[in-house]
Amino acid sequence: ETLLVRAQRRKQRREEKLSKLNERIARQRKEAQDMCAKRQRIKEECLDMSRSEEEEDEEAVALNLQIKSIIGKKASARATLNDARDEYQNAVDYRDSWERKCAEANKDH
């Protein structure tokens, strides 16, 4: 083979290698861009989840306060009911006592 043919083949092989390298670089650049975009999406999702968790935590605190308030009101209502039952029982006892006294007074007359 002549020097010219060998030089042309080397040149063509180099061009093919360069072409393959350029294709590989283009693929890797695309992959890197895709990875960066995916990373950004994940970062945004994490921020959204963090905000959502904070809102849920605030809602949970508010619900706990409401539950404590309701439990307090229930205890207060229960105490009021017990007081009312005691007063009712005292009134019934007082009435029964007066009915017995009246019945005894009527027997004596």
Side-chain angles (χ1 to χ4, degrees):
E1 291 180 89
T2 65
L3 286 175
L4 179 62
V5 173
R6 279 189 274 169
Q8 285 175 341
R9 284 185 188 157
R10 271 185 276 165
K11 182 181 174 189
Q12 187 170 353
R13 281 193 298 262
R14 282 189 200 127
E15 286 175 356
E16 288 173 359
K17 284 182 183 180
L18 282 174
S19 176
K20 288 179 183 179
L21 283 173
N22 282 332
E23 290 173 6
R24 185 175 171 192
I25 289 170
R27 274 195 315 273
Q28 288 179 346
R29 185 175 287 131
K30 172 88 170 86
E31 288 174 6
Q33 289 171 344
D34 290 347
M35 290 171 69
C36 286
K38 185 176 182 177
R39 181 182 178 275
Q40 184 62 31
R41 281 193 306 272
I42 291 171
K43 184 177 176 181
E44 289 171 2
E45 288 175 10
C46 286
L47 287 172
D48 288 344
M49 289 172 62
S50 178
R51 283 188 215 109
S52 177
E53 286 177 3
E54 287 175 6
E55 290 172 2
E56 289 172 1
D57 288 347
E58 289 172 5
E59 289 174 5
V61 168
L63 286 173
N64 282 336
L65 290 174
Q66 288 178 347
I67 289 169
K68 286 180 182 179
S69 173
I70 290 169
I71 290 172
K73 289 177 182 178
K74 181 180 176 183
S76 176
R78 191 172 278 157
T80 301
L81 176 63
N82 287 337
D83 289 347
R85 282 184 185 152
D86 290 345
E87 287 181 28
Y88 175 76
Q89 189 59 47
N90 287 339
V92 167
D93 292 345
Y94 187 69
R95 181 201 64 202
D96 291 347
S97 170
W98 272 102
E99 285 178 352
R100 278 192 301 277
K101 287 180 184 177
C102 288
E104 289 173 8
N106 283 338
K107 283 183 186 177
D108 292 339
H109 285 63

